[in-house]
C-alpha cells in the first residue's frame, strides 16, 4: 500500500511539471503584458524600460522558463506582479479560505446527497421519490450564481428588511466589520453565520448530483442476486440496503468525489465573487486578467496537484468500499 | 477597476462601471524571486507598528476633540468593488480608489482644494509663488506628526518629490511634476520648489500624498514598489491610523487622536473600514441590510433601488471621467474628420445618457470636463442627434452606397465598415455598442461591436493599434494635458491611439501648458476645444456622474468632484444609531 502511494505520488511529479510548462508557454501567447498595464500618458520611456527589466520581461522565454524552474526548485514561487507581495503569501491567504468553503460544502453535499439517494432508491417511483427527484433536478439544473443571488435575496435582504426575522445571514465576506472587537465565542458564531449562504449555494447544487447518482446506482445493485440472497436469509431491510447494497453502489459516487475535489478548489469563482469570499477562484481569475504570471503559474501547479490527489483519494476509497479492489 | 494609474493628464478607466473587478496589473519593480523582501517585512513592519502602537497609546489619553462630544464614536464601513491596489504607498500606486484613501484617510497632501477647486491649506499652512512663477515656497504646519510620533517636516516633502521623479521608483504619475525643476529644503518647516510657469502648478500638491522620509528614506527607489510599507504597515500622518489590512477583504483604520485641532482634530468615528466586495448585487444588499454605511460607485441601474429604499440615500455628483469612442484615423474608413463627425451625429447620445446612465450624466463634447475652469460650455449642445446631417457629411466625403447593400463605399470600393471594441464585463459599453450599431446602420454605416478581454484590448490600442474604434473612458486630474493623446509628435507613443495629426492642435497643445494666467489661457483653451471638435478624433459620449449609496444614519457625508472620501474625518453617527459594538 505504501509502495503504491509512493509510486503514484512520484509518478505525478512529471505530470504536474508538464502541466505547468504548458501553462507557462500558453499564457505568454495571450496578448497583453504586465508592463503594458502600468503605462500611462506622460510616463517616461526610462520608467517603462525599467519596469520591463524589473519584471524580467526582457529575457527570452526559455530563459524566463529556466529561471522560474530554478526558483521553484528552491521553493520560491516568486512575486505577484499585481498584488506586489510574495506569491506564497497570496496563496497562503486565499487557499485556506477556499479549502474551508469547499471541504464543508463537499462534506455536506455527499452526506445529504447519499442520504437522499438512498431514501429514493428504497422506494422507487413512490411519492417521496418523485418529490425528491423533482427537487434534486431543480437544484441540479440551476446555475450556481443564480442560486447564490436568490439565497442573498431571501436570507439576507427579505429576511432582514422585509420579513424582519430575528435570524438572517450576511451576504458578503468571511467576517463582520466588528469582528476584531468580538469575544472568541462571538467570533466563532460570526464566522459560521458568514459561511452559511456560500456553503449552501455550493452544496445544494452538488448534493443534487450526488443524489441522482446514488439513486441510480443503488437501484441497479438492489436488483442483483446477492441482495436477494441477503433478503432471503432474513436480514433486516436496513442491513441489506446500508451494509450490502450501498457499499457496492458507492463506486460511481466515489468517482464523482474524485472529480469534484479539484473543481471545488478552483471552480468557485462565481460563488467567491458573489459572496466576496477571498479565496483561490477569485485570485486566479484576477491574476489571469492582470497577466500576473507568477500567481497563475503557482495556482496551476496547485490545481494540477489537486487533480492528482483527488484521483488518488478516489482510488483509495474504491478499495475501502469494495474489498475486491486491492493495491499493491 | 479603473485601469491603471491616473496620469497627471488622464487615466484610462477600462471599467468605469465595472461588472467584474479588473485587475490592476503591474508592479513597477517586481523582481521575481526576491526573497529578501520577506525578511524585510518582519524587520521593517515589526518595529514600525510597535512605534505606532506606543505613540498611539501615549496620545490616546488626551485626544484632540474640539467637536460636540456626542458625535465621537462608532464605526463607518464603506464598500467598493475592488481592492485598494498598491496600498497606502503614494509613490507606487495611483489607482483612483487607492489614492482617495491615501489623501483623505491615512495620509496628507500639502494642500486641499475648496468647492471652487482653489487650493486651501492642509499640511502646508501657507505658500508663496514668486512673481515670475518659477519658484514656489511652502511653509508646513508644525503640529502634524506621523502616527509613530515623528514630526512631519520639509524633509518628508522633499523625499516624496525626489522619489516621485526618480525613474527607478516607477511613479506612475511622473507627469504631475512635468513643470517642476527641483527642490530645496530651506528649514524644517519650509521647502522650496523650482518650476516653469504653468496654470495648474498646484495640482500635484492636492493629489500626491506626502510619504514618511524617516521610515523610507533608506529604501532604494527601485525597491519601493515591493516594499511591505504600503500593504502591510503604512505609517501615515492623516486623520486615520492604519490598523489592519486583510488582502482582498478589508482595510481597517482607527481615529487619530493626535490630528491637529486646527484641521478639525480627531475624526468623529472611532473606526473606518473599507470592505472589498467584488459583486455589485452583493454590495447593494450589504448597503440595504446596513452591513455597509457607504457603497461607492454603484452602477446607474441600481440607483432606482437605492432611492426607493427607506433609510438609504443616493448621492450623485460630478466626476472627473468621461466615456468616449476613439476612432483610429489610420484606417481608410476613418481618416476623414467629416466621417468621424457623421458618426457622432448619427448617434443619439442624449438617449444613451437617459437609457444607460438613467439620466446620471450628460452628453460630452470635450476632453475638458465641465468641472474644469477651462471647460468650453459653448460646446455643450453641439453635434446633437441629426442623421440627415450625418448622411450629408458622408455623401460629401465620398462615401455612398454604390452597390445597394445598405452600406456605403468610397470610390476605391472600401466599405464603411467599422469594428468597435470594448472591454469584457462592462455592460454600459456593451449597450453603447449595440445602440450605435442600430443607429449608424440607419445612415449606411456597418458598425460591429466586438468584446475583447481588457489586457488584450490595451495591447491592441497602445501597441499593435489593431482596432478601428474602441469604447473606453478616461479619468482626468484637475490639471488637463492632452499632449500625449493628440499631439502628432507623440504619434508613436502608446496613448496616441487615435493617430491624430493636426498642426493646429499641435501648436495649441504646445502653448497651453505654459500660460500661467487663467484669464490669458482661457481663450486658448476655448480654441483648443473647438479645434479638437473639428478634428473629432473621438466621439465623446458622456460625462457620467459618480454615485454613492449612503446609509441614513451617516451624517456629514459630502462627496463631489474633489473626491469620494472628502469629508471622511467629519462623518458622524448618532449614538443611538451606532453598531452594537
Amino acid at each position: 500500500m505504501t509502495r503504491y502511494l509512493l509510486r503514484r505520488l512520484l509518478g505525478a511529479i512529471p505530470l504536474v511539471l508538464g502541466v505547468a510548462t504548458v501553462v507557462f508557454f500558453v499564457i505568454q501567447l495571450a496578448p497583453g503584458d504586465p508592463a503594458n498595464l502600468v503605462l500611462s500618458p506622460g510616463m517616461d520611456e526610462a520608467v517603462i524600460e525599467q519596469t520591463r527589466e524589473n519584471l524580467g520581461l526582457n529575457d527570452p522565454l526559455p530563459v524566463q522558463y529556466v529561471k522560474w524552474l530554478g526558483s521553484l526548485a528552491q521553493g520560491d514561487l516568486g512575486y505577484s506582479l499585481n498584488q506586489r507581495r510574495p506569491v506564497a503569501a497570496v496563496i497562503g491567504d486565499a487557499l485556506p479560505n477556499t479549502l474551508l468553503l469547499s471541504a464543508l460544502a463537499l462534506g455536506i453535499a455527499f452526506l445529504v446527497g447519499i442520504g437522499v439517494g438512498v431514501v429514493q432508491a428504497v422506494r422507487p417511483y413512490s411519492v417521496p421519490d418523485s418529490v425528491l427527484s423533482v427537487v434534486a433536478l431543480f437544484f441540479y439544473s440551476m446555475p450556481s450564481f443564480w442560486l447564490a443571488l436568490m439565497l442573498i435575496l431571501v436570507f439576507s435582504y427579505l429576511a432582514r428588511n422585509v420579513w424582519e426575522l430575528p435570524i438572517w445571514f450576511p451576504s458578503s465576506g468571511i467576517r463582520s466589520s466588528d469582528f476584531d472587537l468580538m469575544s472568541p465565542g462571538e467570533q466563532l458564531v460570526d464566522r459560521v453565520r458568514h459561511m452559511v449562504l456560500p456553503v449552501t449555494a455550493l452544496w445544494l447544487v452538488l448534493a443534487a448530483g450526488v443524489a441522482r447518482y446514488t439513486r441510480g446506482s443503488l437501484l441497479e445493485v438492489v436488483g442483483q442476486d446477492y441482495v436477494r440472497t441477503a433478503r432471503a436469509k432474513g436480514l433486516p431491510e436496513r442491513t441489506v440496503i446500508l451494509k450490502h447494497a450501498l457499499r457496492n453502489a458507492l463506486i460511481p459516487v466515489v468517482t464523482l468525489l474524485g472529480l469534484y475535489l479539484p473543481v471545488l478548489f478552483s471552480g468557485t469563482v462565481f460563488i467567491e465573487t458573489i459572496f466576496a469570499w477571498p479565496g483561490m477562484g477569485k485570485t486566479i481569475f484576477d491574476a489571469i486578467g492582470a497577466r500576473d504570471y507568477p500567481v497563475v503559474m503557482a495556482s496551476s501547479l496547485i490545481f494540477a496537484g489537486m487533480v492528482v490527489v483527488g484521483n488518488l483519494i478516489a482510488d483509495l476509497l474504491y478499495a475501502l468500499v469494495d474489498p475486491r479492489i486491492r493495491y499493491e | 477597476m479603473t485601469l491603471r494609474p491616473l496620469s497627471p493628464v488622464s487615466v484610462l478607466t477600462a471599467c468605469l462601471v465595472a461588472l467584474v473587478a479588473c485587475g490592476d496589473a503591474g508592479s513597477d519593480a517586481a523582481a521575481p524571486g526576491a526573497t529578501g523582501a520577506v525578511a524585510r517585512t518582519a524587520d521593517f513592519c515589526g518595529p514600525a507598528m510597535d512605534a505606532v502602537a506606543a505613540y498611539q497609546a501615549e496620545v490616546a489619553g488626551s485626544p484632540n476633540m474640539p467637536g460636540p462630544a456626542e458625535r465621537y464614536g462608532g464605526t463607518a464601513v464603506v464598500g467598493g468593488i475592488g481592492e485598494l491596489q498598491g496600498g497606502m504607498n503614494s509613490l507606487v500606486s495611483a489607482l483612483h480608489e487607492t489614492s482617495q484613501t491615501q489623501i483623505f484617510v491615512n495620509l496628507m497632501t500639502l494642500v486641499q482644494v475648496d468647492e471652487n477647486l482653489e487650493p486651501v491649506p492642509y499640511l502646508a499652512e501657507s505658500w508663496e509663488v514668486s512673481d515670475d512663477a518659477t519658484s514656489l515656497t511652502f511653509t508646513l504646519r508644525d503640529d502634524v506628526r506621523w502616527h509613530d510620533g515623528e514630526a512631519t517636516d520639509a524633509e518628508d516633502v522633499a523625499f516624496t518629490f525626489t522619489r516621485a521623479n526618480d525613474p527607478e521608483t516607477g511613479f506612475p504619475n511622473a507627469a504631475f511634476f512635468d513643470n517642476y525643476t527641483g527642490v530645496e529644503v530651506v528649514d524644517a518647516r519650509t521647502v522650496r520648489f523650482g518650476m516653469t510657469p504653468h496654470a495648474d502648478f498646484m495640482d500635484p500638491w492636492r493629489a500626491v500624498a506626502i510619504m514618511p522620509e524617516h521610515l523610507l528614506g533608506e529604501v532604494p527607489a527601485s525597491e519601493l514598489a515591493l516594499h511591505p510599507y504600503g500593504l502591510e504597515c503604512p505609517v501615515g500622518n492623516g486623520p486615520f491610523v492604519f490598523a489592519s489590512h486583510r488582502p482582498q477583504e478589508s482595510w481597517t483604520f482607527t481615529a487619530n487622536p493626535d490630528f491637529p485641532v486646527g484641521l478639525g482634530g480627531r475624526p468623529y468615528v472611532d473606526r473606518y473600514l473599507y470592505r472589498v466586495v467584488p459583486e455589485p448585487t452583493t454590495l447593494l444588499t450589504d448597503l440595504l441590510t446596513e452591513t455597509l454605511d457607504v457603497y461607492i460607485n454603484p452602477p446607474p441601474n441600481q440607483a432606482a433601488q437605492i432611492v426607493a429604499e427607506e433609510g438609504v440615500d443616493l448621492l450623485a455628483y460630478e466626476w472627473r471621467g468621461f466615456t468616449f469612442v476613439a476612432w483610429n484615423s489610420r484606417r481608410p474608413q476613418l481618416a476623414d474628420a467629416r466621417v468621424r463627425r457623421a458618426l457622432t451625429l448619427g448617434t443619439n447620445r442624449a438617449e444613451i445618457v437617459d437609457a444607460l446612465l438613467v439620466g446620471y450624466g450628460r452628453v460630452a463634447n470635450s476632453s475638458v470636463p465641465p468641472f474644469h475652469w477651462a471647460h468650453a460650455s459653448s460646446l455643450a449642445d453641439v453635434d446633437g442627434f441629426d442623421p440627415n446631417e450625418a448622411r450629408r457629411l458622408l455623401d460629401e466625403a465620398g462615401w455612398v452606397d454604390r452597390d445597394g447593400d445598405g452600406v456605403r463605399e468610397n470610390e476605391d470600393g472600401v466599405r464603411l465598415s467599422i469594428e468597435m471594441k470594448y472591454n469584457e464585463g462592462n455592460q454600459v459599453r456593451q449597450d453603447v455598442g449595440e445602440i450605435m450599431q442600430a443607429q449608424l446602420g440607419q445612415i449606411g454605416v456597418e458598425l460591429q461591436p466586438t468584446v475583447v478581454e481588457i489586457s488584450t484590448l490595451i495591447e491592441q490600442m497602445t501597441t499593435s493599434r489593431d482596432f478601428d474604434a474602441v469604447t473606453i473612458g478616461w479619468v482626468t486630474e484637475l490639471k488637463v494635458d492632452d499632449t500625449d493623446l493628440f499631439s502628432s509628435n507623440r504619434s508613436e507613443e502608446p496613448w496616441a491611439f487615435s493617430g491624430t495629426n493636426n498642426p493646429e492642435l499641435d501648436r495649441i497643445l504646445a502653448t497651453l501648458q505654459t500660460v500661467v494666467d487663467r484669464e490669458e489661457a482661457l481663450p486658448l483653451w476655448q480654441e483648443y476645444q473647438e479645434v479638437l471638435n473639428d478634428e473629432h478624433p473621438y466621439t465623446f459620449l458622456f460625462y457620467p456622474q459618480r454615485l454613492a449609496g449612503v446609509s441614513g444614519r451617516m451624517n456629514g457625508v459630502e462627496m463631489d468632484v474633489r473626491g469620494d472620501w472628502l469629508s471622511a474625518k467629519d462623518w458622524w453617527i448618532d449614538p443611538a444609531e451606532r453598531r452594537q459594538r
Side-chain angles (χ1 to χ4, degrees):
Chain A
M1 187 69 180
T2 318
R3 279 192 52 202
Y4 171 76
L5 256 180
L6 215 60
R7 206 169 62 227
R8 282 286 298 265
L9 289 176
L10 285 177
I13 291 175
L15 179 71
V16 171
L17 274 182
V19 169
T21 306
V22 171
V23 171
F24 184 92
F25 288 101
V26 167
I27 191 166
Q28 306 270 358
L29 290 180
D33 77 51
N36 249 344
L37 292 183
V38 298
L39 299 186
S40 70
M43 205 161 180
D44 213 59
E45 273 300 322
V47 176
I48 298 166
E49 192 46 38
Q50 181 78 32
T51 304
R52 298 190 60 85
E53 190 63 43
N54 288 347
L55 295 176
L57 296 168
N58 284 340
D59 289 335
L61 261 194
V63 175
Q64 290 185 37
Y65 178 67
V66 170
K67 279 188 178 172
W68 178 77
L69 271 188
S71 317
L72 184 68
Q74 298 164 35
D76 181 0
L77 294 170
Y79 254 81
S80 163
L81 309 180
N82 186 25
Q83 298 197 28
R84 303 178 185 208
R85 54 198 189 114
V87 173
V90 171
I91 303 227
D93 281 335
L95 192 55
N97 290 335
T98 286
L99 287 182
L100 180 67
L101 187 67
S102 307
L104 265 175
L106 206 58
I108 297 176
F110 274 81
L111 280 179
V112 173
I114 292 173
V116 168
V118 169
V119 169
Q120 288 184 282
V122 170
R123 295 227 191 102
Y125 313 112
S126 65
V127 174
D129 177 36
S130 307
V131 170
L132 285 172
S133 282
V134 171
V135 172
L137 209 63
F138 178 73
F139 286 116
Y140 189 62
S141 49
M142 183 178 296
S144 60
F145 67 89
W146 190 79
L147 176 63
L149 289 175
M150 289 308 112
L151 288 174
I152 288 179
L153 176 68
V154 174
F155 294 99
S156 288
Y157 179 70
L158 291 178
R160 181 188 177 282
N161 287 27
V162 178
W163 303 327
E164 296 178 8
L165 302 180
I167 296 180
W168 59 282
F169 297 100
S171 52
S172 76
I174 59 176
R175 60 194 129 208
S176 296
S177 300
D178 296 330
F179 185 81
D180 294 331
L181 309 177
M182 293 175 177
S183 68
E186 291 171 318
Q187 289 189 337
L188 184 68
V189 173
D190 189 61
R191 290 295 305 264
V192 171
R193 276 188 75 213
H194 280 83
M195 246 180 274
V196 171
L197 293 188
V199 168
T200 306
L202 274 177
W203 79 252
L204 264 180
V205 174
L206 291 175
V210 175
R212 302 298 298 161
Y213 275 98
T214 310
R215 178 184 179 275
S217 166
L218 192 56
L219 272 184
E220 199 174 303
V221 170
V222 163
Q224 289 189 5
D225 289 346
Y226 77 93
V227 175
R228 197 177 313 139
T229 311
R231 281 185 177 139
K233 72 183 186 189
L235 283 179
E237 184 66 10
R238 196 184 168 76
T239 316
V240 174
I241 296 291
L242 293 185
K243 200 165 169 212
H244 294 260
L246 184 61
R247 272 182 75 166
N248 232 338
L250 279 183
I251 290 184
V253 178
V254 166
T255 310
L256 205 60
L257 178 70
L259 291 176
Y260 278 167
L261 268 181
V263 172
L264 269 180
F265 162 80
S266 71
T268 52
V269 177
F270 287 125
I271 298 296
E272 288 179 5
T273 302
I274 291 173
F275 291 104
W277 193 271
M280 286 300 295
K282 189 72 179 39
T283 302
I284 299 176
F285 184 75
D286 288 349
I288 293 174
R291 301 291 185 272
D292 191 348
Y293 300 135
V295 172
V296 175
M297 293 305 302
S299 309
S300 313
L301 269 184
I302 295 178
F303 184 43
M306 288 290 290
V307 174
V308 170
V309 171
N311 279 312
L312 185 58
I313 290 178
D315 285 348
L316 295 181
L317 284 176
Y318 287 144
L320 206 68
V321 295
D322 188 343
R324 286 169 302 182
I325 300 174
R326 285 220 173 74
Y327 299 115
E328 291 306 333
Chain B
M1 117 192 180
T2 26
L3 174 81
R4 212 68 350 293
L6 317 177
S7 88
V9 192
S10 10
V11 166
L12 188 62
T13 63
C15 325
L16 205 55
V17 189
L19 290 178
V20 294
C22 308
D24 166 32
S27 99
D28 306 291
T35 40
V38 181
R40 275 210 313 275
T41 302
D43 293 349
F44 179 87
C45 283
M49 290 286 100
D50 288 348
V52 170
Y55 184 68
Q56 291 302 313
E58 195 180 307
V59 290
S62 55
N64 299 335
M65 290 165 60
E70 70 277 8
R71 289 192 180 181
Y72 289 93
T75 298
V77 186
V78 307
I81 206 163
E83 171 65 286
L84 302 179
Q85 305 274 0
M88 298 300 113
N89 183 343
S90 70
L91 290 170
V92 298
S93 162
L95 185 70
H96 177 78
E97 281 71 11
T98 307
S99 72
Q100 290 288 295
T101 310
Q102 290 168 3
I103 67 180
F104 293 120
V105 176
N106 187 238
L107 291 158
M108 290 179 77
T109 46
L110 284 182
V111 298
Q112 293 195 327
V113 288
D114 64 14
E115 54 277 15
N116 301 318
L117 305 183
E118 296 296 335
V120 292
Y122 195 43
L123 175 55
E125 63 180 19
S126 65
W127 57 92
E128 214 172 296
V129 191
S130 67
D131 288 341
D132 58 356
T134 56
S135 145
L136 171 64
T137 310
F138 287 101
T139 305
L140 308 185
R141 297 186 67 92
D142 61 359
D143 54 359
V144 175
R145 278 171 291 274
W146 296 101
H147 298 149
D148 60 5
E150 288 276 332
T152 302
D153 61 20
E155 292 292 347
D156 295 315
V157 179
F159 163 76
T160 307
F161 176 84
T162 310
R163 282 291 188 270
N165 284 289
D166 185 339
E168 292 219 338
T169 308
F171 180 61
N173 284 345
F176 262 139
F177 298 109
D178 268 352
N179 63 308
Y180 278 81
T181 53
V183 62
E184 174 199 351
V185 173
V186 180
D187 62 44
R189 286 179 56 202
T190 316
V191 58
R192 180 173 300 141
F193 292 97
M195 57 183 190
T196 53
H198 190 283
D200 287 311
F201 63 89
M202 284 299 273
D203 196 45
W205 306 117
R206 160 207 68 88
V208 180
I210 302 304
M211 299 288 286
E213 188 268 343
H214 72 285
L215 290 169
L216 299 172
E218 302 295 307
V219 178
S222 60
E223 286 181 24
L224 277 170
L226 284 180
H227 196 276
Y229 171 91
L231 291 172
E232 291 168 45
C233 52
V235 179
N237 56 355
F240 289 94
V241 182
F242 169 82
S244 72
H245 171 216
R246 295 190 167 106
Q248 314 296 317
E249 189 188 339
S250 65
W251 288 79
T252 306
F253 299 91
T254 56
N256 175 12
D258 192 35
F259 199 64
V261 175
L263 296 173
R266 200 204 98 142
Y268 290 129
V269 294
D270 288 337
R271 304 195 314 144
Y272 169 101
L273 260 89
Y274 178 85
R275 280 174 80 102
V276 183
V277 181
E279 164 62 39
T281 312
T282 314
L283 274 162
L284 180 62
T285 311
D286 282 351
L287 176 72
L288 302 185
T289 57
E290 295 187 349
T291 306
L292 292 179
D293 299 310
V294 178
Y295 166 14
I296 194 65
N297 200 19
N301 60 20
Q302 289 184 342
Q305 275 169 287
I306 296 175
V307 170
E309 186 80 14
E310 215 169 299
V312 182
D313 302 318
L314 181 78
L315 294 188
Y317 49 103
E318 206 163 355
W319 164 239
R320 307 203 304 259
F322 57 89
T323 299
F324 58 92
V325 180
W327 308 109
N328 184 352
S329 62
R330 300 168 189 85
R331 295 280 200 262
Q333 316 90 295
L334 294 162
D336 190 326
R338 285 173 295 186
V339 174
R340 301 194 293 266
R341 175 183 295 269
L343 296 171
T344 303
L345 290 167
T347 303
N348 192 339
R349 294 177 294 161
E351 192 180 276
I352 288 178
V353 169
D354 282 344
L356 303 184
L357 302 185
V358 208
Y360 294 103
R362 56 174 135 168
V363 171
N365 278 312
S366 158
S367 64
V368 184
F371 74 83
H372 196 274
W373 57 271
H375 173 69
S377 49
S378 62
L379 289 174
D381 297 318
V382 301
D383 298 333
F385 184 49
D386 189 349
N388 289 327
E389 174 65 7
R391 288 190 192 97
R392 193 191 66 75
L393 278 174
L394 290 174
D395 289 342
E396 187 185 301
W399 295 90
V400 184
D401 185 6
R402 291 159 213 270
D403 56 9
D405 67 348
V407 178
R408 294 167 186 261
E409 293 87 22
N410 71 358
E411 285 177 336
D412 310 329
V414 177
R415 283 161 58 90
L416 191 41
S417 172
I418 300 160
E419 186 186 32
M420 188 164 96
K421 296 180 172 174
Y422 63 94
N423 57 297
E424 171 260 325
N426 193 308
Q427 190 63 44
V428 169
R429 288 175 198 169
Q430 178 180 339
D431 293 344
V432 164
E434 283 163 15
I435 291 173
M436 287 182 72
Q437 180 179 34
Q439 293 182 343
L440 294 179
Q442 303 289 319
I443 61 167
V445 178
E446 184 181 73
L447 188 95
Q448 185 55 55
T450 307
V451 62
V452 181
E453 186 260 348
I454 182 66
S455 294
T456 309
L457 184 60
I458 306 278
E459 197 272 337
Q460 292 176 346
M461 285 165 60
T462 59
T463 313
S464 64
R465 311 279 198 220
D466 175 21
F467 74 101
D468 300 334
V470 59
T471 313
I472 202 112
W474 288 111
V475 179
T476 69
E477 293 299 328
L478 301 186
K479 167 186 170 189
V480 174
D481 181 353
D482 290 344
T483 311
D484 280 311
L485 310 183
F486 302 129
S487 179
S488 66
N489 52 31
R490 308 278 172 97
S491 62
E492 297 308 311
E493 311 261 323
W495 301 109
F497 39 76
S498 62
T500 304
N501 187 347
N502 181 322
E504 209 179 343
L505 272 184
D506 290 350
R507 177 184 59 78
I508 305 176
L509 281 171
T511 337
L512 263 184
Q513 300 298 325
T514 60
V515 186
V516 192
D517 185 50
R518 288 188 180 179
E519 296 278 308
E520 198 184 320
L522 207 51
L524 205 55
W525 276 105
Q526 178 75 27
E527 188 189 356
Y528 168 67
Q529 290 167 79
E530 283 163 8
V531 176
L532 187 66
N533 193 50
D534 292 341
E535 174 64 25
H536 230 83
Y538 296 169
T539 288
F540 294 101
L541 291 169
F542 48 76
Y543 305 114
Q545 283 187 307
R546 193 160 168 95
L547 305 179
V550 182
S551 163
R553 67 178 165 202
M554 298 298 296
N555 300 291
V557 179
E558 275 179 46
M559 300 183 187
D560 63 29
V561 72
R562 290 172 285 172
D564 304 332
W565 313 136
L566 177 63
S567 68
K569 67 184 166 62
D570 302 322
W571 295 356
W572 59 277
I573 308 164
D574 195 83
E577 308 253 321
R578 287 175 197 156
R579 288 185 167 72
Q580 294 302 305
R581 272 167 272 269

